[in-house]
Amino acid sequence: MGINFKQETFRDDFSFRNSPEQVRRFPFPFHEDGYMYSVNIEPHVPGAKNTVFEHLFDVDEHYVSEMHDRALVLAEDPLRCQSLPHMTLAGWDTLELLMTEKAKSYPEHFSLTRDGDKWHWVNRPLGIDDRFTFGDTSTLPYDPLEYITRQSQGDFAVLDQRDGNLWMDAGIVTTQADWSLDFDIGMNFFEWHAPVPLAHEMGVFKRALKFLMALQQGQPARRHNWTMTINPRLDTSPENYHKWGTDRTTVTPENVGDKVHLRVEIQMFFRLPRSNALLFPIRCYLIKMDELVTSPKWARRFHRVLRDLPPELAEYKGLVRYRPTVVEWLSKYDDGAPTSPGFGPD
């Protein structure tokens, strides 16, 4: 049985909603009643059925609408997708990985037929049916990275490994939490993480870089990250700050449940076979407070996490203006009872 794709918007009237099934599979990022920045990397292996980790790349009910929003962003700002000249091979690696995994995991929606370098790709939800020659960019309507990531949820950074560092030399970024590919393109690992507070002093990024540079093909890894967003807006980019920055001033005790969203990223890491580049998919999930509190455990825990968040992290994540209002709203769902270990709802 296939996925029931929704028609919804992430701008203007903000009609995005999670179905009850989607709420249950939301990747809640807190395993305990507190939070501090950490590496939190674990193997990225297929997980339990009906979770976002069931397959290596999750496709959900929001897929078609998210791809429509990505097309709108790219039409407005083509520089959201960039690839330096030496990264073309990594683009083909990325295309192969995404096509093969989607066709294997969701055969009712995607199919890939290969005859040597002659490939036939069918994406039924988006109405795409293309034949092309693998390795020949002239046979695709876009370069390989842009072609396949226009059909894949989440952002994708492609990192070149050289000179003892990782360099962000290609990517497509349209669902980001306030960072810019156009600004970061060509930067190394420490440069693009420079704004993050506390973590540098804790040695988090030195440990993370050492781990990532040693990552082997066939042994992908993942981690969580999170922030908050007012309205279910995917494109919270610096380039469009004038469109969404003032949203933070609109939170009131009456509209917290509908307007305030927990924004969770599943960040994955794959070693690519031909180029030896590192693929860094960043998959964004949104859940409004009214949906989150349908899980009593999540409601209690998120209240405690947000209430006790270190001020530096609240400032970095842009939560300072409205955090007290949200903490007060969540407090009515926290009866002081202990929460069970782990991420899942009770």
Side-chain angles (χ1 to χ4, degrees):
M1 183 175 177
I3 300 166
N4 182 23
F5 298 109
K6 301 175 71 175
Q7 296 295 326
E8 57 196 350
T9 58
F10 302 90
R11 55 181 70 207
D12 302 326
D13 64 345
F14 296 110
S15 64
F16 166 89
R17 300 289 186 275
N18 288 303
S19 68
E21 295 77 19
Q22 187 73 6
V23 170
R24 285 194 292 271
R25 69 194 300 273
F26 183 80
F28 188 72
F30 308 109
H31 69 281
E32 58 186 5
D33 291 355
Y35 174 79
M36 175 52 73
Y37 202 94
S38 64
V39 176
N40 70 69
I41 293 177
E42 62 182 358
H44 182 44
V45 294
K49 190 173 177 58
N50 298 322
T51 71
V52 301
F53 301 120
E54 181 176 354
H55 305 294
L56 291 185
F57 293 97
D58 182 42
V59 176
D60 64 20
E61 65 187 21
H62 307 300
Y63 173 71
V64 172
S65 295
E66 287 190 28
M67 295 302 90
H68 177 67
D69 195 76
R70 165 155 290 166
L72 293 175
V73 174
L74 290 171
E76 296 166 357
D77 185 1
L79 291 179
R80 300 295 192 88
C81 184
Q82 298 189 46
S83 181
L84 299 184
H86 64 283
M87 298 300 286
T88 301
L89 184 59
W92 285 110
D93 278 338
T94 302
L95 177 145
E96 179 183 46
L97 175 63
L98 287 168
M99 284 187 178
T100 55
E101 287 298 327
K102 286 180 187 295
K104 179 176 71 175
S105 301
Y106 305 95
E108 68 275 31
H109 297 302
F110 308 96
S111 65
L112 175 65
T113 306
R114 292 186 277 191
D115 181 9
D117 61 0
K118 305 302 181 185
W119 289 28
H120 181 202
W121 168 247
V122 179
N123 178 330
R124 296 177 187 87
L126 298 184
I128 294 170
D129 187 330
D130 286 335
R131 299 175 187 272
F132 62 93
T133 301
F134 186 86
D136 183 352
T137 302
S138 69
T139 60
L140 286 174
Y142 305 98
D143 73 61
L145 179 66
E146 182 171 355
Y147 176 77
I148 194 56
T149 55
R150 278 178 173 264
Q151 304 174 51
S152 302
Q153 288 169 283
D155 291 330
F156 294 82
V158 192
L159 315 178
D160 192 30
Q161 184 164 324
R162 63 181 188 274
D163 303 328
N165 214 322
L166 294 170
W167 303 79
M168 191 178 296
D169 286 348
I172 187 166
V173 180
T174 68
T175 68
Q176 71 272 51
D178 199 11
W179 65 281
S180 169
L181 175 67
D182 192 38
F183 183 78
D184 288 354
I185 195 83
M187 286 188 179
N188 69 40
F189 188 80
F190 295 117
E191 291 170 339
W192 84 70
H193 281 114
V196 182
L198 303 179
H200 293 276
E201 296 86 342
M202 296 165 60
V204 167
F205 293 121
K206 287 183 179 179
R207 295 196 301 275
L209 179 64
K210 181 178 180 180
F211 174 87
L212 292 174
M213 291 186 63
L215 192 70
Q216 300 297 303
Q217 186 184 348
Q219 298 178 3
R222 67 180 179 234
R223 67 181 296 270
H224 286 85
N225 196 16
W226 72 276
T227 186
M228 297 177 74
T229 300
I230 308 307
N231 296 318
R233 189 188 297 272
L234 287 175
D235 179 21
T236 55
S237 60
E239 290 88 344
N240 278 338
Y241 183 78
H242 61 285
K243 296 181 180 179
W244 60 267
T246 56
D247 290 350
R248 296 171 174 175
T249 69
T250 65
V251 177
T252 68
E254 294 72 34
N255 64 23
V256 166
D258 186 56
K259 288 181 73 81
V260 178
H261 289 69
L262 176 60
R263 184 187 192 106
V264 173
E265 293 175 350
I266 304 298
Q267 302 177 349
M268 296 156 276
F269 311 93
F270 293 82
R271 178 69 65 189
L272 297 176
R274 301 170 185 82
S275 60
N276 199 45
L278 200 68
L279 180 65
F280 179 26
I282 309 163
R283 177 65 191 280
C284 170
Y285 295 86
L286 295 168
I287 188 170
K288 65 171 61 182
M289 291 299 100
D290 276 343
E291 295 169 342
L292 184 141
V293 299
T294 61
S295 165
K297 171 183 171 179
W298 290 355
R300 293 188 196 101
R301 177 162 292 170
F302 190 48
H303 169 246
R304 298 166 194 181
V305 166
L306 200 58
R307 179 193 64 197
D308 301 336
L309 193 68
E312 299 93 335
L313 289 179
E315 177 70 32
Y316 169 66
K317 292 178 181 292
L319 315 182
V320 171
R321 181 182 291 270
Y322 58 86
R323 182 171 68 145
T325 304
V326 180
V327 169
E328 177 63 25
W329 187 88
L330 285 168
S331 68
K332 63 190 178 189
Y333 297 96
D334 188 351
D335 57 7
T339 56
S340 60
F343 299 99
D346 288 331

